[in-house]
Amino acid sequence: MVNNDLITLGHGSGGLQTKRLLDSHIFSKLNNDYLRKADDGAILEMNGKAVVSTDSFVVSPFIFPGGNIGDLAINGTVNDIAMCGGIPKYISLSFILEEGLAISSLDLVLDSINHAANESGVEIVTGDTKVVEKGKGDEIFINTTGIGELMEGCQLGIDRIKDGDSIIVSGNVGTHGIAILSKREGLEFETQLKSDSTNLNQLVNGVLNEFGKDIKFLRDPTRGGVSSTLNEISQSSGLGAELNQIDIPILEEVGSACEMLGLDPLYVANEGIFVAIVSEKIGTKVVEFLRKEIKGKDAALIGAINQDLDSKVVLNGIIGGRRVVHMLSGEQLPRIC
Amino acid sequence: MVNNDLITLGHGSGGLQTKRLLDSHIFSKLNNDYLRKADDGAILEMNGKAVVSTDSFVVSPFIFPGGNIGDLAINGTVNDIAMCGGIPKYISLSFILEEGLAISSLDLVLDSINHAANESGVEIVTGDTKVVEKGKGDEIFINTTGIGELMEGCQLGIDRIKDGDSIIVSGNVGTHGIAILSKREGLEFETQLKSDSTNLNQLVNGVLNEFGKDIKFLRDPTRGGVSSTLNEISQSSGLGAELNQIDIPILEEVGSACEMLGLDPLYVANEGIFVAIVSEKIGTKVVEFLRKEIKGKDAALIGAINQDLDSKVVLNGIIGGRRVVHMLSGEQLPRIC
């Protein structure tokens, strides 16, 4: 049965309607001991060092091929925790809903949140729900903040990167951004492309377990794409990066769409891959390790850190030629996550 | 010098403009070791049990008498941590900015955030900044998620509340809501009223240190006001609450404004007070303790838990008569926090 009820300002009042929305939808969908207490916060067991990360999600449209803002909000924060060397454990969940949102849409998003949280092994421990007037928001925004336990035996940091280190991507580049674009108004090209949004924590924790301190740095190249991530690394480390275009994995339909739209896939957002900078000696071993896993099956070694490049990212083209890949300077695809 | 630059979608791109906004404004205003790393997350030292709480802030207008959304977002989350028996330590900070926001407004909010964080002794350890198109947000929304250390020797929970326990408010009721209303378009009445938005962590931690397990439950009555907080307590505990109107502290100008606008101050939002349910034997001692502190100088014992009231909140009126105070059923004042 479809729920035709709509979100009203009363659902954000803190009174009876808020309580009903929480009890009948949010707590009933995300049923756990933490939330059932309906306290203003949660009490957690923490051992040793904690990793914390926050993200607000404003993706438009909030339902897109391959996912919706709900799983994106869980996976995005889970992945950020993993990139810092953490094992994600707990997550907070905060909604800003626009008056007039169908409660059935909220239910759909809650189901995805629940599924994504279960998949990645995190518990939603506390939350908040606000409502803004129609025209003062855009259907649904979500903030998630994650807390994880720092893995022992890993040591990640841009300051650990050295000349010659290998640059690896764990999968195809640009898929999420093009999937969102394919759904956007006025850009309907023929494609069955789905967002690559997924949790990467088990894969990343596995790599860190296997290779320990030889993994120097990890980052998920979301907004700004692989090029912005590598430019940040180059600028912060004072070392450059050299990439070989022929080695960069990309789905054929993403490549075609980028060509058609005049986009460079290196700038397009990703939600299901990570960039790893690792010791040269383990570069190919890490790729082999990743390729054994479904989420890493398209992993590739795409280049190396090069101290002679003066903090620049340089791409060797497929048909020859070299060019500098800059950081994204303006806005390419707004509201991609 | 006034900064006339405006927020653009490019500031949310994850590329160069994002980096410039972060470096020149956010990191420079909120200068600390955690943020300078510009990682996707932060690594924290945690000992024992942690308290975590999240809130998104959508207050309108975002600058109001006595504060702005920046200090509100810090104080609100700091207070939620304190209400759970935590000593607030770390906070995450996430912005959703509307295209066209003056960067000078963001700077003003950042200054307040910095000041409020310093005052309450929390460090801002990680963050995020998103930008949405003009008309898809409302100038500035903020999420803060706080992490604290659970205090030893305290034991808070609705399940600990018993018949006869004292009900205390730590200060005047309804001030924040009326201050926001006074600023809203079309409701300009004569008042110098300022929001009571402030951090309560030192005051609350002090009370818990002094009285330990005799403090049964704490909650800051924000949205929905004191009546919604007490109704939640009554319904969850299965016990009722009896209040004496004559004992409820309220500023004269708040009382007058409520009368003029037909509002019941018990439903109006607060940001600088808390409700405490404590053992009957320490009721007056807690009030005396609070009144010695500036932030608790108007504290009062306003009633008692009463198991004969069948989960209802009953108010004994100043001029006689008794009435049931229900939970706020609709929306009284949207976007108050």
Side-chain angles (χ1 to χ4, degrees):
Chain A
M1 207 179 85
V2 176
N3 185 333
N4 291 314
D5 291 341
L6 303 180
I7 291 290
T8 66
L9 289 171
H11 288 119
S13 67
L16 198 62
Q17 281 186 270
T18 303
K19 186 168 159 37
R20 284 185 185 146
L21 181 74
L22 293 175
D23 288 344
S24 307
H25 298 272
I26 298 183
F27 296 158
S28 78
K29 296 270 185 192
L30 310 175
N31 192 13
N32 76 38
D33 287 343
Y34 293 104
L35 295 179
R36 258 192 303 276
K37 287 187 185 167
D39 273 344
D40 271 348
I43 294 174
L44 314 174
E45 287 291 346
M46 294 301 308
N47 299 309
K49 286 193 159 70
V51 179
V52 61
S53 182
T54 192
D55 256 327
S56 286
F57 294 84
V58 298
V59 63
S60 172
F62 73 92
I63 300 172
F64 49 80
N68 64 55
I69 194 170
D71 45 89
L72 190 70
I74 298 296
N75 293 335
T77 291
V78 158
N79 292 347
D80 281 347
I81 296 284
M83 299 307 145
C84 296
I87 300 170
K89 305 278 279 184
Y90 307 111
I91 212 156
S92 68
L93 176 68
S94 181
F95 291 104
I96 299 174
L97 307 177
E98 184 189 11
E99 182 187 15
L101 176 75
I103 292 183
S104 58
S105 296
L106 178 63
D107 282 342
L108 182 150
V109 168
L110 285 165
D111 284 336
S112 295
I113 285 172
N114 198 32
H115 184 255
N118 288 338
E119 274 232 319
S120 56
V122 293
E123 286 207 84
I124 297 161
V125 293
T126 191
D128 181 45
T129 304
K130 293 291 194 307
V131 180
V132 296
E133 303 91 332
K134 199 155 182 62
K136 299 296 186 182
D138 195 11
E139 300 190 295
I140 180 163
F141 298 150
I142 297 180
N143 175 281
T144 49
T145 303
I147 303 175
E149 280 175 13
L150 188 66
M151 287 182 71
E152 283 180 29
C154 73
Q155 197 183 337
L156 299 166
I158 284 183
D159 55 341
R160 297 199 58 238
I161 298 174
K162 290 210 165 57
D163 186 46
D165 282 349
S166 299
I167 301 170
I168 291 167
V169 291
S170 68
N172 291 308
V173 162
T175 314
H176 174 73
I178 298 300
I180 300 282
L181 259 190
S182 77
K183 180 76 180 178
R184 289 247 177 102
E185 218 178 342
L187 283 168
E188 290 171 31
F189 41 81
E190 296 283 332
T191 172
Q192 296 299 311
L193 200 64
K194 285 183 178 171
S195 164
D196 62 350
S197 168
T198 191
N199 66 69
L200 295 167
N201 53 320
Q202 281 103 346
L203 187 62
V204 167
N205 296 157
V207 169
L208 287 169
N209 252 329
E210 183 75 16
F211 298 100
K213 292 181 183 168
D214 281 327
I215 309 291
K216 308 285 193 76
F217 188 76
L218 298 167
R219 175 77 49 106
D220 52 340
T222 56
R223 281 184 291 174
V226 169
S227 75
S228 294
T229 294
L230 290 175
N231 269 286
E232 271 178 63
I233 292 171
S234 295
Q235 285 166 29
S236 297
S237 67
L239 306 168
E242 181 155 12
L243 306 179
N244 299 308
Q245 191 176 11
I246 199 162
D247 296 324
I248 298 173
I250 180 167
L251 289 173
E252 201 186 323
E253 53 206 313
V254 172
S256 314
C258 282
E259 244 171 60
M260 200 174 85
L261 297 164
L263 297 172
D264 183 337
L266 287 177
Y267 291 112
V268 178
N270 310 279
E271 289 291 342
I273 65 167
F274 60 89
V275 171
I277 314 294
V278 310
S279 297
E280 189 178 2
K281 63 179 181 194
I282 62 156
T284 54
K285 286 180 197 156
V286 173
V287 171
E288 282 163 21
F289 181 93
L290 288 170
R291 286 189 178 168
K292 286 181 198 149
E293 307 290 330
I294 289 180
K295 291 181 184 177
K297 69 181 169 48
D298 300 308
L301 202 161
I302 62 168
I305 299 296
N306 184 336
Q307 68 183 10
D308 299 331
L309 293 178
D310 193 24
S311 303
K312 288 193 172 59
V313 179
V314 173
L315 181 78
N316 298 313
I318 289 175
I319 52 166
R322 275 161 73 86
R323 67 178 173 91
V324 173
V325 181
H326 295 284
M327 188 173 261
L328 183 61
S329 67
E331 176 54 287
Q332 189 192 47
L333 307 170
R335 307 213 17 218
I336 212 73
C337 61
Chain B
M1 205 179 85
V2 176
N3 185 334
N4 291 315
D5 291 341
L6 303 180
I7 291 290
T8 67
L9 289 171
H11 287 120
S13 68
L16 199 61
Q17 281 186 270
T18 303
K19 187 169 157 39
R20 284 185 185 146
L21 181 74
L22 292 175
D23 288 345
S24 307
H25 297 272
I26 297 183
F27 296 158
S28 78
K29 294 270 185 193
L30 310 175
N31 193 14
N32 75 37
D33 288 343
Y34 293 103
L35 295 179
R36 259 193 303 276
K37 287 187 183 166
D39 274 344
D40 271 347
I43 295 175
L44 313 174
E45 288 290 347
M46 294 300 307
N47 299 309
K49 285 194 160 70
V51 179
V52 61
S53 182
T54 192
D55 256 325
S56 285
F57 294 84
V58 297
V59 63
S60 172
F62 73 92
I63 301 171
F64 49 79
N68 64 55
I69 194 170
D71 45 88
L72 189 70
I74 298 296
N75 293 336
T77 290
V78 158
N79 292 347
D80 281 348
I81 297 283
M83 299 307 144
C84 296
I87 300 170
K89 304 278 280 184
Y90 307 112
I91 211 156
S92 68
L93 176 67
S94 180
F95 292 104
I96 299 174
L97 306 177
E98 186 190 11
E99 181 186 16
L101 176 75
I103 293 183
S104 58
S105 295
L106 177 63
D107 282 342
L108 181 150
V109 168
L110 285 165
D111 285 336
S112 294
I113 285 171
N114 199 33
H115 185 256
N118 289 338
E119 273 232 321
S120 55
V122 293
E123 286 207 84
I124 297 161
V125 294
T126 191
D128 181 46
T129 305
K130 294 291 193 309
V131 181
V132 296
E133 303 91 332
K134 200 157 180 61
K136 300 294 186 183
D138 194 10
E139 299 188 297
I140 180 163
F141 298 151
I142 298 179
N143 175 280
T144 50
T145 304
I147 303 175
E149 282 175 12
L150 188 65
M151 287 182 72
E152 283 180 29
C154 72
Q155 195 183 336
L156 299 166
I158 284 184
D159 55 342
R160 295 199 59 239
I161 297 175
K162 289 210 164 58
D163 185 48
D165 282 350
S166 299
I167 302 170
I168 291 167
V169 291
S170 68
N172 290 309
V173 161
T175 314
H176 174 72
I178 298 299
I180 298 283
L181 260 190
S182 77
K183 181 77 180 177
R184 288 248 177 103
E185 217 178 342
L187 283 168
E188 291 171 32
F189 40 80
E190 295 284 332
T191 171
Q192 295 300 310
L193 200 64
K194 285 184 177 172
S195 164
D196 61 351
S197 169
T198 191
N199 67 68
L200 295 167
N201 53 321
Q202 281 103 346
L203 187 62
V204 167
N205 295 157
V207 168
L208 287 169
N209 252 328
E210 182 75 15
F211 298 100
K213 292 181 183 169
D214 281 327
I215 308 293
K216 308 284 193 78
F217 188 76
L218 297 168
R219 174 77 49 104
D220 53 339
T222 55
R223 281 184 290 174
V226 168
S227 75
S228 294
T229 294
L230 289 176
N231 269 285
E232 272 177 63
I233 292 171
S234 295
Q235 285 165 28
S236 296
S237 66
L239 306 169
E242 181 155 11
L243 306 179
N244 299 309
Q245 191 176 10
I246 199 162
D247 295 324
I248 299 173
I250 180 167
L251 290 172
E252 199 184 326
E253 52 207 311
V254 171
S256 313
C258 281
E259 243 171 62
M260 201 173 84
L261 297 164
L263 297 173
D264 183 336
L266 287 177
Y267 291 112
V268 178
N270 309 277
E271 289 292 341
I273 65 166
F274 60 89
V275 171
I277 313 294
V278 310
S279 297
E280 188 178 1
K281 64 179 180 195
I282 62 157
T284 54
K285 285 180 196 156
V286 173
V287 171
E288 282 164 21
F289 182 93
L290 288 169
R291 285 189 178 167
K292 287 181 198 150
E293 306 291 328
I294 289 180
K295 292 181 184 176
K297 68 181 171 49
D298 300 308
L301 201 162
I302 63 169
I305 299 297
N306 184 336
Q307 67 181 9
D308 299 330
L309 293 178
D310 192 26
S311 303
K312 287 193 173 60
V313 180
V314 172
L315 181 78
N316 297 314
I318 289 177
I319 52 165
R322 275 160 75 85
R323 66 179 175 91
V324 174
V325 180
H326 294 285
M327 187 173 262
L328 184 60
S329 67
E331 177 54 286
Q332 187 193 47
L333 308 170
R335 310 223 3 228
I336 212 74
C337 62

